[in-house]
Amino acid sequence: MIISIASGKGGTGKTTVATNLAVSLESDVQILDCDVEEPNSHLFIRPVIEEVKTITTPVPEVDMEKCSLCGKCGEICQFKAIIVIGETVLPFHELCHSCGGCMEVCPEKAISETGRELGIIEKGHRNGLEFVHGKLRVGEAMSPPLIRKVREYSRPDILTIIDAPPGTSCPVIASMKGADFVLLVTEPTPFGLHDLKLAVGAVKILGIPCGLVINRSDMGDDQVKKYAEEEGMPVLMEIPFDRQIAEAYSRGDMVVDVMPEWKERFKTLYHDIRELLSSNN
Ligand code: SF4
Ligand code: SF4
């Protein structure tokens, strides 16, 4: 089973929920931090890293000795990532989406593949919990290809928890697509509700069942709950504002380590998700 943990906006406590849920379940679970632009699950999980891999994506390289300047590569590229200028062909690797179209259409077989570095993937563990995250190279604009590489570490024999990036754009979709359940973490404020609605819209398009965790649940208004009711979305957990939780977060400590009673609550959250999914089937 794959549970993707997302939020319409940053700072809602998404990583707190993802990491504490993963650690509470202890075994037969892995966490994939797909927030590759700013991964921070590792700050709380503090895994022992066993493997570091550099990830590249194929981009074109042109052999001008073979090129006839026919222009077909530039015509097929939807991203203007390869163009013929005068007597030469210029590939723009930063714009390339690695579709391979230019290589396919080149009648002279003048285009070969080279690699553009996307970032790195680190894999490790904390006791029985398997940990994987991606770190996007500084200056790299496209994160979905690296997110897809992180997701390749998903194991079908255990539970996969995905810490998705905040927002509702392509990186979030890449982190939610194919999940069995999306857990949306929000807060009961007008901003929280606004971004939650966008996130719910994205989840609906993907057709994935979802539920809510309301963080700092005692601090705002009841509009998020009303919206959840209207949408028929279950509120699976409420985390009230608690100084101890805030302090644990600021120190990089796990909530379940400083307040062990939360371990059972996160186990119940997982149990409730399973129940929901089995009652949907
Ligand atoms: S691989 Fe695709 S995106 Fe990249 S330059 Fe070629 S056609 Fe354009
Ligand atoms: S398609 Fe091949 S031969 Fe034609 S311009 Fe591009 S690289 Fe040159």
Side-chain angles (χ1 to χ4, degrees):
M1 173 156 66
I2 301 174
I3 301 175
S4 193
I5 304 194
S7 64
K9 71 192 247 318
T12 56
K14 171 181 60 64
T15 297
T16 302
V17 172
T19 52
N20 282 281
L21 176 62
V23 167
S24 299
L25 298 175
E26 289 163 357
S27 61
D28 291 335
V29 56
Q30 60 174 180
I31 182 164
L32 311 183
D33 189 348
C34 288
D35 188 359
V36 299
E37 287 180 46
E38 214 172 336
N40 59 2
S41 291
H42 64 288
L43 300 174
F44 300 93
I45 290 182
R46 299 178 197 162
V48 178
I49 298 294
E50 297 149 334
E51 188 187 309
V52 182
K53 221 171 151 180
T54 299
I55 305 297
T56 60
T57 189
V59 289
E61 191 171 53
V62 182
D63 180 350
M64 290 311 297
E65 298 277 303
K66 293 183 183 168
C67 175
S68 62
L69 298 169
C70 71
K72 288 194 170 139
C73 51
E75 280 163 27
I76 197 169
C77 184
Q78 299 299 301
F79 306 100
K80 307 226 177 311
I82 187 163
I83 51 172
V84 181
I85 299 180
E87 298 289 297
T88 191
V89 179
L90 281 181
F92 296 98
H93 289 169
E94 298 302 323
L95 300 177
C96 176
H97 283 55
S98 305
C99 72
C102 53
M103 290 169 231
E104 277 296 310
V105 298
C106 177
E108 313 298 341
K109 302 279 173 250
I111 307 179
S112 56
E113 272 183 19
T114 181
R116 179 181 94 228
E117 189 185 327
L118 293 172
I120 59 165
I121 288 182
E122 293 180 322
K123 181 172 181 275
H125 72 276
R126 164 179 160 145
N127 304 324
L129 170 67
E130 202 175 289
F131 173 88
V132 182
H133 71 177
K135 286 182 174 172
L136 197 68
R137 177 179 59 82
V138 174
E140 172 57 50
M142 276 184 272
S143 59
L146 183 59
I147 291 171
R148 285 193 283 272
K149 291 286 180 189
V150 173
R151 291 200 55 181
E152 283 175 14
Y153 283 78
S154 180
R155 280 174 51 188
D157 56 327
I158 58 174
L159 168 67
T160 302
I161 293 172
I162 293 177
D163 188 358
T168 48
S169 56
C170 300
V172 188
I173 303 296
S175 307
M176 297 197 299
K177 210 170 166 185
D180 297 289
F181 193 83
V182 173
L183 193 57
L184 292 167
V185 184
T186 187
E187 54 187 20
T189 62
F191 285 129
L193 178 61
H194 174 268
D195 293 339
L196 174 65
K197 285 180 178 173
L198 295 176
V200 170
V203 177
K204 276 187 178 167
I205 290 169
L206 293 170
I208 306 170
C210 68
L212 291 189
V213 171
I214 305 181
N215 194 15
R216 296 183 277 270
S217 55
D218 50 348
M219 291 196 78
D221 53 40
D222 61 354
Q223 294 304 307
V224 164
K225 276 191 186 167
K226 277 191 179 156
Y227 171 69
E229 216 176 293
E230 281 160 24
E231 291 290 322
M233 253 182 325
V235 176
L236 296 168
M237 182 183 247
E238 292 186 44
I239 307 173
F241 177 77
D242 186 309
R243 201 184 160 87
Q244 254 186 297
I245 292 179
E247 283 177 0
Y249 184 85
S250 66
R251 285 192 306 266
D253 287 340
M254 305 286 302
V255 175
V256 294
D257 285 340
V258 291
M259 299 166 77
E261 65 273 22
W262 276 92
K263 208 171 213 177
E264 276 314 305
R265 292 180 200 168
F266 278 102
K267 281 183 180 172
T268 304
L269 170 64
Y270 175 55
H271 178 260
D272 290 347
I273 292 171
R274 288 193 75 103
E275 290 277 294
L276 255 176
L277 287 174
S278 59
S279 64
N280 280 354
N281 288 331

